[in-house]
Amino acid sequence: MVQGLFQIAIALVILVGIVPILGTYIADVFLGNKTFLDPLLQPIEGIIYQLSGVRYQLTMTGWQYGRAVLFSNLVMGILIFLSIAFQGFLPLNPTGLTAPSWDLTLHTTISFLTNTDQQHYAGETTLSYASQTLGLGFLMFTSAATGLAVAIAFIRGLTGRLLGNFYVDLTRAIARILLPISLIGAIILLALGVPETLAGPQIVNTLDGGKQIIALGPVAHFEVIKQLGENGGGFFGINSAHPYENPNGFSNLLETLLMVSIPASLIYTFGIFTQDKKQALLLFCLVFLIYLFSIILTAIGEFQGNDIVNHLLGQTVPNLEGKEVRFGWAETALWAVTTTATMCGAVNGMHDSLMPNGGFATLFNLFLQIVWGGQGTGTAYLFIFLILTVFLTGLMVGRTPEFLGRKIEKREIILASVILLVHPLGILIPGAISLAYPQLSGVSNPGFHGISQVIYEYASAAANNGSGFEGLNDNTLWWNLSTSVVLLAGRYIPILALLFLAENMLNKQPVPENTGTLKTNSILFTSITAGVILILGALTFLPVLALGPIAEAFQIASQK
């Protein structure tokens, strides 16, 4: 147990050390400050702007920024859909794979386009190298950069700055943040044994005289952006549980830090934009404590194991079902919480095999979306809760609701409500339909666990996470199309609402601070924010949690 807790502690300490460094660098990139990469990247960015015709000095309104997001994503989605649909005629297809069904192709394209990477297929047996690296790998960069750009535009609007230019922000996010870190990370993974090759699968003789086909591919660079961009889609079917994606404990630590580094650092970036690092520190501590609670809850459940098994054995043993022995209960618990807290969705163990504690924690993270949240958008959701807290507390104490020197009024509350309501609607409505018609859901584990399986699939889609409880027959017309609708709604409706809200805040006349201004950079206000998050974010889904992991925990306890 001590060793497992030490492994978790090491990862958390390193994360805390990374945040101020990376957070400062991200702020410098988007504030236009000088960085050490300027001599190399400024000429390259200039060429990109000239070739694309982007007027990089032109700032956009909220609708222009949102329209640029939608238009660029539509064009990219069509191109990648066609590339997958015709993969049988394209090069880099050593195994001669044909195109998947149209509904699976559509779902896969939308899933990667929305930074979700929910997979209803196994990559090594469904997609060619070209589809994986040139198609999906391309979307891994652009979808992550899109979320990061929207978050920065939102922060600019909150702090009274112009929203900026989407295409410039997209270029900077890729060229100055995602690409440099990915290059370094890919080299490290190569040194650790992750393959990077265009060679086809290898056929080897086994010890018992049989034949085994070992899938290969250009995995190292794919794995890095999968983690760093909070994409989560695995090159292989079992994702980061595969030894060619995640070979050892060091690679596991590196990949865990990659998926959480940018969303955690963005809170520090916010503090630099607002010139209020105290508030950023308080928000970081708030999110970190919820994150730590989820880790402890999951780790306890996995270490104590299944009561029924323990009763049969006469001793307490950790739950190792669905886990890689090289990671064990501790690193699997840390990863499961981190991948659902960050909306990455990659897995190094099967979530379907987690104890109810882990099922509760992972669902809880997907429901909240702010611990640490999606690439950029999760940080923006955190500020939405801040705005709602300011409004509610201002009404309760009779003070004018203001945030960062600007009044919070009806239009801002409507937009904030839209952002928060899309999520439960996208989960509960299709989830209820799937549970009402078992022939649609394809649940393999009926009962309380089956409820968790179905709700998790839609929660993962709505939160743009991509992980799954598995155990579902999810490559069907119903699952591919219903989750595609949820993927689109969970991604683009909140993005547009965030941009409109940012523009509203930008256009408001700043209000000088006075004795009636509510202080938002205090421990008291941060504590109230935590209460608002739990009430508005968690209680909405309390019945589902009660019918799923909580009921399952009582069921296991009653059978020992």
Side-chain angles (χ1 to χ4, degrees):
M1 180 178 183
V2 174
Q3 180 183 0
L5 295 177
F6 180 74
Q7 292 170 335
I8 294 173
I10 287 293
L12 297 180
V13 169
I14 296 175
L15 171 63
V16 172
I18 289 173
V19 164
I21 299 172
L22 184 57
T24 300
Y25 175 72
I26 294 174
D28 288 339
V29 167
F30 290 107
L31 285 172
N33 300 333
K34 289 184 178 180
T35 67
F36 67 97
L37 290 176
D38 283 355
L40 173 64
L41 294 178
Q42 280 182 340
I44 297 175
E45 290 175 351
I47 295 173
I48 293 174
Y49 298 144
Q50 289 180 353
L51 293 176
S52 61
V54 171
R55 291 180 288 174
Y56 64 92
Q57 295 177 331
L58 176 68
T59 188
M60 294 179 172
T61 64
W63 170 238
Q64 289 173 333
Y65 205 104
R67 188 172 57 192
V69 171
L70 295 176
F71 177 75
S72 62
N73 279 229
L74 177 62
V75 172
M76 289 186 289
I78 292 173
L79 291 175
I80 301 307
F81 177 87
L82 293 175
S83 69
I84 297 175
F86 292 99
Q87 71 173 9
F89 304 99
L90 298 176
L92 298 181
N93 187 7
T95 54
L97 294 170
T98 57
S101 64
W102 73 268
D103 53 300
L104 178 59
T105 302
L106 178 65
H107 174 268
T108 302
T109 302
I110 292 174
S111 181
F112 280 78
L113 184 68
T114 57
N115 197 228
T116 309
D117 295 21
Q118 190 176 56
Q119 295 176 286
H120 292 170
Y121 64 92
E124 65 268 42
T125 59
T126 307
L127 298 179
S128 68
Y129 290 175
S131 295
Q132 293 245 60
T133 58
L134 302 180
L136 302 186
F138 169 76
L139 290 181
M140 283 182 170
F141 277 97
T142 57
S143 64
T146 296
L148 189 54
V150 169
I152 294 298
F154 183 68
I155 293 174
R156 288 190 186 120
L158 292 183
T159 55
R161 296 175 173 86
L162 296 175
L163 300 187
N165 186 306
F166 168 70
Y167 298 108
V168 173
D169 291 338
L170 184 76
T171 303
R172 287 179 176 174
I174 294 175
R176 294 174 178 266
I177 299 172
L178 298 177
L179 191 57
I181 299 176
S182 294
L183 287 173
I184 297 172
I187 293 172
I188 295 174
L189 287 184
L190 272 170
L192 293 173
V194 177
E196 181 72 21
T197 177
L198 296 178
Q202 301 297 302
I203 301 176
V204 299
N205 296 319
T206 61
L207 294 176
D208 61 358
K211 300 285 186 180
Q212 181 179 357
I213 299 176
I214 300 178
L216 297 173
V219 184
H221 81 281
F222 191 92
E223 184 70 17
V224 172
I225 189 57
K226 179 190 92 174
Q227 301 299 112
L228 179 66
E230 292 186 59
N231 292 284
F235 196 93
F236 302 106
I238 61 172
N239 212 282
S240 292
H242 197 291
Y244 282 172
E245 288 198 31
N246 190 8
N248 53 50
F250 185 78
S251 66
N252 192 76
L253 173 63
L254 174 63
E255 292 176 24
T256 301
L257 292 172
L258 281 173
M259 67 173 126
V260 75
S261 57
I262 290 180
S265 300
L266 275 174
I267 297 177
Y268 193 89
T269 301
F270 169 75
I272 295 176
F273 268 81
T274 60
Q275 298 180 345
D276 190 353
K277 292 184 180 179
K278 179 182 177 182
Q279 184 172 40
L281 176 61
L282 290 171
L283 289 175
F284 179 86
C285 291
L286 166 63
V287 176
F288 188 85
L289 288 175
I290 300 175
Y291 177 53
L292 185 61
F293 166 77
S294 296
I295 293 172
I296 293 173
L297 180 65
T298 304
I300 289 174
E302 299 309 306
F303 177 73
Q304 291 180 341
N306 192 313
D307 287 341
I308 300 174
V309 176
N310 293 340
H311 181 72
L312 293 173
L313 295 176
Q315 60 178 326
T316 299
V317 295
N319 172 35
L320 295 180
E321 179 191 345
K323 295 177 179 59
E324 288 295 310
V325 176
R326 64 185 186 276
F327 304 136
W329 63 270
E331 292 183 52
T332 306
L334 173 63
W335 185 294
V337 172
T338 304
T339 196
T340 51
T342 60
M343 303 310 143
C344 176
V347 296
N348 72 348
M350 297 302 103
H351 289 193
D352 193 46
S353 298
L354 292 172
M355 296 303 296
N357 298 40
F360 179 94
T362 52
L363 279 169
F364 183 77
N365 288 335
L366 294 177
F367 293 156
L368 289 187
Q369 295 194 93
I370 54 94
V371 191
W372 303 88
Q375 185 79 301
T377 55
T379 310
Y381 292 154
L382 178 60
F383 304 145
I384 293 299
F385 280 111
L386 279 178
I387 290 172
L388 289 174
T389 304
V390 169
F391 183 76
L392 293 173
T393 52
L395 292 178
M396 287 190 291
V397 300
R399 294 185 177 182
T400 303
E402 298 169 8
F403 184 59
L404 300 178
R406 287 167 170 78
K407 290 185 178 180
I408 306 298
E409 297 175 308
K410 177 183 177 180
R411 184 171 174 81
E412 289 73 53
I413 297 303
I414 291 175
L415 290 170
S417 300
V418 167
I419 293 169
L420 295 183
L421 286 174
V422 167
H423 191 56
L425 291 176
I427 297 171
L428 299 178
I429 292 177
I433 295 173
S434 296
L435 290 170
Y437 298 94
Q439 64 271 27
L440 292 177
S441 62
V443 173
S444 64
N445 203 333
F448 302 128
H449 194 81
I451 294 175
S452 297
Q453 286 179 330
V454 170
I455 295 300
Y456 192 105
E457 188 76 3
Y458 286 113
S460 174
N464 298 141
N465 177 263
S467 63
F469 247 38
E470 304 310 331
L472 291 174
N473 181 23
D474 52 20
N475 185 16
T476 64
L477 186 65
W478 166 253
W479 279 113
N480 287 333
L481 295 186
S482 64
T483 51
S484 292
V485 173
V486 176
L487 289 167
L488 292 171
R491 175 71 164 179
Y492 295 110
I493 294 176
I495 280 180
L496 292 176
L498 285 170
L499 292 170
F500 294 152
L501 197 157
E503 185 177 28
N504 284 351
M505 296 293 285
L506 166 65
N507 293 332
K508 287 181 180 290
Q509 188 69 27
V511 179
E513 186 175 321
N514 54 55
T515 55
T517 301
L518 184 67
K519 299 288 185 182
T520 59
N521 59 352
S522 65
I523 295 177
L524 176 60
F525 180 81
T526 306
S527 301
I528 297 172
T529 302
V532 171
I533 290 172
L534 293 176
I535 292 172
L536 296 182
L539 289 185
T540 304
F541 298 98
L542 183 58
V544 173
L545 292 170
L547 291 171
I550 295 176
E552 186 181 0
F554 281 109
Q555 184 182 46
I556 292 174
S558 66
Q559 293 177 0
K560 67 179 181 179

